[in-house]
């Protein structure tokens, strides 16, 4: 059981790191891949899309954690 918790924490650290790097890239770039100059509004739109992409794995992680706690408390 301990290996699963270690894997869970490692997976969360990877997700947080990917989100932080993606956020850094979105907010520091001057021009996107299509050559459009990034304004603060366009950066915010890109950040919202990045956030939406990371919400789904977060929901899966939280549901998995709740299920594991329920299973652990029943034993």
């Amino acid at each position: 059981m301990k290996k699963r918790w270690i894997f869970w924490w490692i997976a969360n650290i990877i997700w947080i790191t990917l989100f932080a790097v993606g956020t850094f890239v979105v907010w520091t770039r001057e021009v996107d891949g299509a050559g459009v100059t990034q304004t603060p509004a366009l950066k915010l739109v890109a950040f919202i899309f990045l956030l939406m992409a990371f919400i789904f794995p977060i929901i899966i992680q939280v549901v998995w954690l709740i299920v594991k706690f329920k299973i652990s408390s029943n034993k």
Side-chain angles (χ1 to χ4, degrees):
M1 184 69 171
K2 185 152 179 115
K3 288 181 182 179
R4 289 185 182 182
W5 284 111
I6 292 171
F7 176 73
W8 187 80
W9 280 108
I10 291 171
N12 281 332
I13 290 169
I14 291 170
W15 281 112
I16 290 169
T17 304
L18 286 172
F19 183 74
V21 168
T23 301
F24 177 76
V25 168
V26 165
W27 285 107
T28 58
R29 68 184 180 182
E30 297 295 324
V31 178
D32 69 358
V36 178
T37 303
Q38 295 294 287
T39 63
L42 289 175
K43 289 180 182 182
L44 183 61
V45 170
F47 176 72
I48 290 171
F49 276 102
L50 180 68
L51 188 63
M52 289 186 328
F54 277 88
I55 285 177
F56 184 67
I58 288 171
I59 291 171
I60 291 173
Q61 288 277 337
V62 169
V63 168
W64 185 81
L65 182 64
I66 291 169
V67 168
K68 287 296 180 181
F69 275 139
K70 293 289 184 182
I71 290 172
S72 297
S73 66
N74 289 339
K75 289 185 179 181

